[in-house]
Amino acid sequence: MDFQPTSSLLTDLYQLTMAQGYFRMGIAERNAVFHLFFRKNPFGGGYCLTAGQAEVMEFLSRFQVTPEEIAYLKQLTGNDGNPMFTQDFLAYLEQLSLSVTVHAMPEGSIAFPHEPLLRVEGPLIQAQLLETALLTLMNFPSLVATKASRICTAAQGDAVLEFGLRRAQGKDGGLTASRAAFVGGAGATSNVWAGHTFGIPVKGTHAHSWVMSYDSEMEAFESYAQALPNNVVLLVDTYDTRIGIERAIEVGQQLKSNGHTLAGIRLDSGNLLELSIMARQMLDDAEFDQAAIVASDDLDEYKIERLKQKGAKIDTWGVGTRLATAYDQPALGGVYKLAALQDETGTWKGKIKLSENPAKTSFPGKLQVNRFYDSHGMMLGDQLYDEWHPGEIPVFSSSPHSIEQVLVPAFVNQNAVMPKRSIQEIQAYAAKQVHALPAGVASLVPDEPYMVHVCPNLKHHQQQLINQLSQ
């Protein structure tokens, strides 16, 4: 797993202007607690599958403001044309070494609204400077991983392939999407760069242009089978799909006589329900019952679910645009909020973002999440609480068999301490997390909410601060 180096300037300008303000006002080194969380489950679903934590750890471990970056910041000017940043502040940045402590949900964890995906504790100036980068590295991957998880749920165990690179939000968006889709359950990607970078399996055969390059479809199929006899999945809908299937079967017979196998056919357009049923019958009749039927054509979880319900004979789902771009929701909406700050005496003071919309009023303190499981390993519910003022365990419909603290140490004393896992281990963990969800929460349109109990002590502290700030 090899992430591309990330510049310390992956930030918004106002993070740097605030940092200089903290520095000039003498409060830069006061300890603070920030939480990264979201307020609403993506895609109208019942959960979010988190991704991006591994790259966050890489970013924190490598964090450094380089001389070249300092030279750039020196060139920036304020409205009066004078340098925006002072020399002493830039010297501070150049010598900065992170001393924050980060707790995180392990990558592939299930999360729910208002639960911290990350908790950052340390000097105010450092925690502030990290905001934009941490949100960038967590928001989009979590969104795509959740989309992939939903698509895999709809596929009911069928193979799902991620084919979205050509429609992705730039090359880096494509790389991030391919990795996140694998975390969410996709079995492979068409993105060779992602395969090389992260060790994700890669899949693909040929496009319509291959068929169109030859004078006949039959010649194209035979040539492909000759060139790559161990990778023959033939795209059969360039012209007439039924005839394309007949020709694929004929090529399959030739492959069989030469000791090879027709791996499958791909349908990329038309009525996928009818075409897949027809194709399966034709393949089975020709004794190619092991040949897979791969489908693409602007698929998402809803289309896959409908096709499955109607009896489509599709074995593998190639999902592109709607997965790699998280097509129906462009952003997760993750936020990063200050929750506690030491005053001049070193006393911790809770902080909240107050809003006329109650859902946007944040929680104060140093938050942690307890997750409760039954004796079968199924999730019963969560408890959001303040580690400084913990409360009693909530009451569930059945007695919890085990309790898990969801946030674990991730970055301590300038080192990433969260155990490194392979991409396959992260994917397996994510699948286990999704499997542990109540069925009504895991469905595409949840018929029950997952219970996140907010500790009464935490509610009381929040209300105290609301009353103070409303006066």
Side-chain angles (χ1 to χ4, degrees), residues 73 123 135 161 236 334 430:
L73 294 176
L135 286 168
L161 311 178
V236 295

Side-chain angles (χ1 to χ4, degrees), residues 439-459:
V441 176
S443 57
L444 300 187
V445 180
D447 54 21
E448 61 177 285
Y450 184 81
M451 297 305 299
V452 177
H453 300 264
V454 179
C455 179
N457 289 348
L458 180 56
K459 285 184 178 179

Side-chain angles (χ1 to χ4, degrees), residues 54-86:
E55 188 164 13
V56 165
M57 295 309 113
E58 288 282 337
F59 170 71
L60 296 174
S61 299
R62 297 176 178 178
F63 185 89
Q64 178 188 13
V65 186
T66 67
E68 292 79 9
E69 291 167 343
I70 293 295
Y72 168 74
L73 294 176
K74 284 181 179 179
Q75 300 173 20
L76 300 182
T77 59
N79 293 330
D80 60 0
N82 291 314
M84 181 177 294
F85 298 112
T86 61

Side-chain angles (χ1 to χ4, degrees), residues 112-265:
F112 302 97
H114 304 289
E115 296 182 343
L117 281 59
L118 302 175
R119 186 180 75 206
V120 180
E121 182 178 358
L124 174 61
I125 190 170
Q126 295 185 29
Q128 188 72 71
L129 284 170
L130 294 175
E131 175 179 3
T132 300
L134 298 187
L135 286 168
T136 300
L137 296 174
M138 288 293 299
N139 268 334
F140 182 61
S142 297
L143 190 68
V144 174
T146 306
K147 188 69 169 177
S149 174
R150 289 166 57 81
I151 289 168
C152 290
T153 295
Q156 300 176 27
D158 294 344
V160 173
L161 311 178
E162 180 270 310
F163 284 170
L165 178 58
R166 65 185 61 197
R167 304 281 177 79
Q169 269 54 339
K171 61 179 184 179
D172 297 317
L175 189 67
T176 298
S178 294
R179 183 184 182 278
F182 189 79
V183 169
T189 178
S190 65
N191 185 345
V192 181
W193 188 23
H196 171 69
T197 302
F198 302 121
I200 300 171
V202 292
K203 294 286 185 180
T205 53
H206 70 82
H208 292 294
S209 56
W210 173 270
V211 177
M212 296 162 65
S213 298
Y214 288 83
D215 291 335
S216 73
E217 185 175 55
M218 190 63 190
E219 183 184 2
F221 286 177
E222 288 176 334
S223 296
Y224 189 84
Q226 181 180 350
L228 291 102
N230 61 348
N231 190 45
V232 182
V233 177
L234 298 172
L235 180 58
V236 295
D237 67 344
T238 305
Y239 306 120
D240 182 281
T241 303
R242 173 182 281 277
I243 295 174
I245 297 169
E246 291 174 350
R247 289 169 176 160
I249 290 171
E250 188 174 342
V251 171
Q253 300 288 5
Q254 296 173 16
L255 283 165
K256 188 182 295 186
S257 66
N258 292 323
H260 298 289
T261 302
L262 175 65
I265 64 167

